[in-house]
């Protein structure tokens, strides 16, 4: 639960401000820390604060970044993905770590060096950049092209490309057609494999990761957000599935599947799908989806083989 700012606070609730501005206004680091811990303030990016009750928006993200980045470069990578799509574009737990800003200059420019940024230089074309609320950043397409090559791990690469595709400013064929620009560059070999898995229907990083396990298990290409209409006219949706085979997989992240009410709803929904529509649904959590002990790939393969034997033999 968020708490309003004190009446005598030197900044408006919707006005982002830097640590330096706060210190100049008489606030101490200790006070900033207390207010953040009490959910009076939040940090949209490193060393920038805003009232915790202020709704997230594209304009707020751009204004926050405008406080810490110079005007002679561009925001890119995860920071650009965050501007375009919000916090869901970031890896799990990023809101707790507050990752540094990714800020680059065109090739030949001077690298920015400070503790707030990950910086360098990068070759871009004018069509790769867009200005939003006074901030220059990579377009969703260029952000997808960079994220699919440079993000850490195949799950984050797939999620970044899919998340940017979901913004609706480019198509999957357009993404594929641009890969030739990055021939022989770092990460392009894996990106060419992953681009076939990109889907704007993923609703979370966990779903994208589960889709990678699904593909690695050599199952048929899944549909996302499979709709199953109930007798009453409302619908249930399955994260990943094969409608013709009545086989699906779902990822239960802590955010929406951890309370007693949420778990009870999940059980009721899945019981109905099994008993009234004959679906087989395998459920996965972070424990068996991530890490070197993940077994999602094996579970999916075994469940799919078993389902086919029972259904078709």
């Amino acid at each position: 639960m968020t708490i309003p700012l004190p009446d005598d606070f030197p900044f408006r609730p919707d006005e982002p401000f830097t640590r330096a501005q706060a210190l100049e206004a008489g606030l101490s680091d200790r006070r900033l820390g207390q207010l953040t811990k009490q959910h009076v303030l939040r940090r949209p990016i490193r060393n920038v604060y805003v009232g915790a009750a202020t709704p997230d928006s594209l304009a707020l993200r751009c204004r926050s970044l405008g406080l810490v980045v110079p005007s002679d470069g561009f925001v890119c990578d995860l920071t650009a993905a965050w501007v375009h799509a919000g916090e869901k574009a970031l890896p799990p737990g990023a809101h707790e770590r507050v990752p540094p800003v990714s800020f680059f200059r065109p090739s030949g420019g001077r690298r920015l060096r400070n503790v707030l940024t990950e910086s360098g230089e990068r070759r871009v074309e004018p069509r790769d950049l867009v200005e939003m609320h006074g901030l220059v950043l990579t377009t969703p397409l260029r952000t997808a092209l960079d994220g699919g090559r440079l993000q850490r791990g195949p799950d984050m690469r797939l999620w970044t490309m899919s998340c940017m595709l979901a913004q609706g400013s480019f198509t999957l064929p357009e993404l594929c057609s641009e890969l030739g620009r990055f021939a022989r560059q770092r990460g392009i070999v894996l990106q060419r494999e992953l681009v076939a898995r990109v889907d704007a229907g993923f609703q979370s990083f966990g779903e994208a990761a589960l889709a990678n396990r699904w593909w690695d298990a050599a199952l048929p290409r899944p549909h996302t957000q499979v709709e199953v209409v109930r007798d009453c006219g409302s619908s249930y949706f399955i994260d990943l599935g094969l409608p013709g085979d009545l086989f699906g997989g779902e990822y239960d992240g802590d955010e929406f599947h951890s309370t007693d009410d949420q778990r009870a709803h999940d059980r009721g929904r899945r019981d109905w799908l099994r008993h009234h529509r004959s679906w087989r649904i395998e459920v996965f959590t972070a424990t068996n989806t991530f890490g070197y002990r993940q077994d999602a790939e094996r579970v999916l393969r075994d469940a799919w083989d078993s389902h086919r034997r029972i259904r078709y033999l």
Side-chain angles (χ1 to χ4, degrees), residues 92-104:
H95 65 286
E96 299 171 356
R97 300 189 301 271
V98 192
V101 172
S102 295
F103 175 86
F104 279 62

Side-chain angles (χ1 to χ4, degrees), residues 155-193:
D155 296 338
M156 197 62 209
R157 295 184 187 190
L158 176 61
W159 172 235
T160 300
M161 289 190 287
S162 299
C163 194
M164 292 300 97
L165 178 65
Q167 301 310 299
S169 64
F170 65 92
T171 65
L172 185 56
E174 287 174 330
L175 175 62
C176 295
S177 70
E178 291 284 328
L179 296 183
R181 294 173 55 189
F182 305 95
R184 294 184 295 278
Q185 293 191 26
R186 177 166 64 94
I188 188 62
V189 173
L190 179 57
Q191 184 175 29
R192 287 195 181 107
E193 176 184 340

Side-chain angles (χ1 to χ4, degrees), residues 103-245:
F103 175 86
F104 279 62
R105 288 186 165 100
S107 294
R110 178 173 53 85
R111 179 170 183 162
L112 185 66
R113 298 182 183 276
N114 62 44
V115 297
L116 302 179
T117 61
E118 292 177 342
S119 184
E121 60 180 53
R122 185 170 297 173
R123 185 181 301 277
V124 292
E125 300 179 8
R127 62 190 175 97
D128 292 326
L129 302 177
V130 62
E131 182 175 344
M132 304 174 71
H133 298 279
L135 185 74
V136 178
L137 66 157
T138 51
T139 64
L141 176 55
R142 179 59 195 253
T143 304
L145 289 164
D146 290 340
R149 291 182 299 112
L150 305 175
Q151 289 302 327
R152 181 176 298 176
D155 296 338
M156 197 62 209
R157 295 184 187 190
L158 176 61
W159 172 235
T160 300
M161 289 190 287
S162 299
C163 194
M164 292 300 97
L165 178 65
Q167 301 310 299
S169 64
F170 65 92
T171 65
L172 185 56
E174 287 174 330
L175 175 62
C176 295
S177 70
E178 291 284 328
L179 296 183
R181 294 173 55 189
F182 305 95
R184 294 184 295 278
Q185 293 191 26
R186 177 166 64 94
I188 188 62
V189 173
L190 179 57
Q191 184 175 29
R192 287 195 181 107
E193 176 184 340
L194 291 175
V195 76
R197 308 178 181 188
V198 170
D199 195 307
F202 298 139
Q203 296 297 302
S204 69
F205 170 74
E207 288 183 23
L210 181 59
N212 264 337
R213 311 295 175 269
W214 182 294
W215 280 85
D216 292 342
L219 273 62
R221 182 187 185 95
H223 296 260
T224 53
Q225 310 310 317
V226 178
E227 182 179 13
V228 181
V229 181
R230 304 168 64 193
D231 298 333
C232 64
S234 63
S235 297
Y236 284 141
F237 291 86
I238 302 169
D239 294 346
L240 303 173
L242 301 170
D245 298 289

